[in-house]
Amino acid sequence: MLEVKELVKSYGTGKNQHKVLRGVNFTIHKGEFVAVMGPSGSGKTTLLDCISRYKPFEGGEVLLNGKDLGRLNEKEMAKVRNQEVGFVFQDFMLLDGLTVFENVCVPQVIRAEAYQEMEKKAAQLLQLFDISQIGEKYPSEISGGQKQRAAVARALINDPLMILADEPTGALDSKAAETLLETFQKLNETKRATIFMVTHDAFSASYCSRILFLKDGRIFHELVRGKKGRREFLNNILDVLSMTGGDSNVH
């Protein structure tokens, strides 16, 4: 599904160059729910930006279903972002001038899909996320949790190969965060949605099936949940973070 091989990313030039990613390697298989964690400044969001090619990288490969994203031109990459990857951001990124229903439809509008099928899919997603009642409202009129569920619905409308989520619970209160995480878990378990989530929050990470820990620009540790309960897995995550100096926020 997603293969990252020897990924290298630096900022600055010459003596002021700072290498953020120093040869990152990992694979995410179809149907996995994976989080990446690490100390502040460890390169978590930079990693996501490089995978989605919002930022260029100097070395290595990013392969999505065997397709080398680093070799695509901007037009080809824009098509991948619209059709093969769904994005969920901390600040929602909804368009203020559109209703919730219209925001969910945006990726299909970009693809010039037939309106009847588009509206049918959007209505199904609004129902799935229990936000049908706010479909005609504007982002300024709804809560943060509702905005984020709308953003997830938008991310799913084109049936992407993978969802990339950057701190998706960061702007939510604990109840809204838990609702969103349960939604991700349900999508993963019932629809085999592949989700790759950047988070600093151990509670959020405990919903995942696998955790990758970044430190000093490399993956230095991995935790697999297996048959553990979420509480036990959360304790395992906190143990790793306490040993490595990572953030250990818990809702």
Side-chain angles (χ1 to χ4, degrees):
M1 169 63 75
L2 176 69
E3 295 177 81
V4 174
K5 301 179 179 180
E6 294 297 326
L7 192 65
V8 175
K9 171 65 180 174
S10 302
Y11 292 110
T13 56
K15 292 182 179 179
N16 294 321
Q17 189 178 71
H18 173 59
K19 193 169 282 189
V20 180
L21 303 177
R22 302 169 177 266
V24 173
N25 293 279
F26 63 89
T27 299
I28 296 176
H29 302 286
K30 180 174 174 55
E32 281 197 293
F33 184 4
V34 180
V36 61
M37 301 189 74
S40 297
S42 61
K44 302 185 294 294
T45 294
T46 296
L47 174 60
L48 215 60
D49 287 341
C50 289
I51 289 171
S52 57
R53 282 275 309 280
Y54 283 121
K55 289 181 180 174
F57 49 88
E58 296 97 69
E61 296 179 306
V62 176
L63 306 175
L64 182 64
N65 254 15
K67 184 184 299 181
D68 188 345
L69 301 187
R71 295 181 179 274
L72 302 184
N73 61 38
E74 188 51 42
K75 184 177 180 181
E76 292 168 331
M77 194 61 220
K79 186 175 180 182
V80 168
R81 294 188 194 112
N82 178 252
Q83 299 184 9
E84 300 182 48
V85 181
F87 295 93
V88 180
F89 303 96
Q90 179 176 341
D91 55 358
F92 320 126
M93 302 292 282
L94 297 177
L95 299 174
D96 292 335
L98 300 180
T99 65
V100 168
F101 187 89
E102 290 166 341
N103 265 284
V104 172
C105 288
V106 164
Q108 293 252 299
V109 173
I110 293 171
R111 282 177 63 170
E113 295 288 350
Y115 278 97
Q116 188 173 2
E117 184 61 26
M118 176 197 312
E119 291 179 351
K120 180 181 176 183
K121 287 188 75 171
Q124 290 172 341
L125 286 165
L126 289 172
Q127 185 173 13
L128 176 67
F129 295 122
D130 193 26
I131 50 175
S132 298
Q133 71 279 10
I134 60 165
E136 298 308 311
K137 291 189 175 183
Y138 291 88
S140 61
E141 300 175 315
I142 63 177
S143 70
Q146 290 170 326
K147 289 177 185 177
Q148 196 59 293
R149 278 182 279 164
V152 176
R154 180 185 57 192
L156 288 170
I157 197 165
N158 278 346
D159 300 313
L161 294 172
M162 171 175 284
I163 295 173
L164 298 180
D166 187 9
E167 299 281 6
T169 62
L172 304 179
D173 61 37
S174 58
K175 184 174 181 179
E178 192 166 358
T179 298
L180 178 67
L181 293 162
E182 288 171 353
T183 298
F184 274 158
Q185 193 171 56
K186 181 180 177 181
L187 287 169
N188 175 247
E189 292 173 353
T190 63
K191 296 184 177 294
R192 293 200 67 215
T194 307
I195 304 168
F196 185 50
M197 176 174 72
V198 165
T199 183
H200 68 281
D201 179 45
F203 178 83
S204 298
S206 69
Y207 280 81
C208 298
S209 55
R210 185 159 59 102
I211 315 292
L212 305 173
F213 294 87
L214 258 181
K215 187 177 182 183
D216 298 328
R218 293 185 175 89
I219 302 294
F220 73 95
H221 194 73
E222 178 180 328
L223 278 180
V224 178
R225 180 172 175 176
K227 295 183 179 180
K228 296 173 186 172
R230 197 169 59 76
R231 173 54 61 178
E232 182 182 357
F233 193 43
L234 173 59
N235 290 334
N236 293 159
I237 295 166
L238 292 171
D239 287 343
V240 174
L241 291 174
S242 68
M243 289 187 296
T244 59
D247 300 323
S248 56
N249 294 22
V250 183
H251 278 304

